[in-house]
């Protein structure tokens, strides 16, 4: 009798787990997909930002070597260097986000689906 109860309990638990994953996993998959899209958008922003601030730095260098615009050139170069540092830090954060959050969520979704199967 306990064998029947144990089997029923297992099926009931599995049914509840399946219902939860059927409702929860599509939302998690969408969240992972949105997170990946966010990372791709950030990468595109990084490329544009890099081009912009490289151009700003070149303008700053030209201004730095002129007599009348030396201080402006110095400021433009500093802005460019600071932005490049910030971009590198943000790239590290997004890389960590991708590995520690999105990849783990994706792996757990797959594990759930494999377990149910």
């Amino acid at each position: 009798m306990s064998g029947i109860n144990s089997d029923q309990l297992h099926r009931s638990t599995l049914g509840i787990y399946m219902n939860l994953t059927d409702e929860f996993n599509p939302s998690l998959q969408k969240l992972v997909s949105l997170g990946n899209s966010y990372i791709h958008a950030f990468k595109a922003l990084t490329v544009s930002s890099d081009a912009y601030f490289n151009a700003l730095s070149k303008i700053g260098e030209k201004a730095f070597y002129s007599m009348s615009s030396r201080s402006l050139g110095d400021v433009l170069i500093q802005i460019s260097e600071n932005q490049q540092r910030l971009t590198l830090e943000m790239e590290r954060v997004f890389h960590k986000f991708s590995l520690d959050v999105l990849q783990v969520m994706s792996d757990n979704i797959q594990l759930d689906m494999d377990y149910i199967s």
Side-chain angles (χ1 to χ4, degrees):
M1 202 142 158
S2 83
I4 293 173
N5 288 338
S6 175
D7 190 43
Q8 288 174 340
L9 179 63
H10 176 70
R11 276 191 248 147
S12 175
T13 303
L14 190 58
I16 291 168
Y17 188 67
M18 283 174 49
N19 286 338
L20 285 173
T21 56
D22 287 346
E23 291 178 25
F24 196 57
N25 275 357
S27 297
L28 278 178
Q29 287 172 333
K30 187 173 183 177
L31 188 62
V32 169
S33 176
L34 288 171
N36 286 328
S37 295
Y38 186 58
I39 287 173
H40 289 298
F42 176 76
K43 286 179 182 178
L45 173 71
T46 299
V47 169
S48 299
S49 172
D50 197 35
Y52 176 79
F53 285 104
N54 281 337
L56 188 66
S57 179
K58 287 178 183 176
I59 292 169
E61 287 174 11
K62 287 181 180 181
F64 185 77
Y65 292 111
S66 72
M67 291 296 241
S68 61
S69 302
R70 185 178 190 99
S71 61
L72 176 62
D74 188 40
V75 169
L76 292 176
I77 291 169
Q78 287 178 19
I79 289 171
S80 178
E81 289 172 352
N82 287 330
Q83 182 60 38
Q84 287 174 343
R85 267 189 246 113
L86 288 172
T87 300
L88 283 174
E89 287 180 34
M90 287 300 293
E91 284 176 340
R92 286 186 207 116
V93 168
F94 273 88
H95 183 71
K96 190 164 178 61
F97 171 70
S98 175
L99 292 177
D100 293 350
V101 177
L102 295 178
Q103 189 60 48
V104 170
M105 286 173 61
S106 182
D107 292 347
N108 284 336
I109 291 167
Q110 189 60 45
L111 287 171
D112 285 346
M113 290 177 8
D114 291 346
Y115 179 76
I116 295 297
S117 297

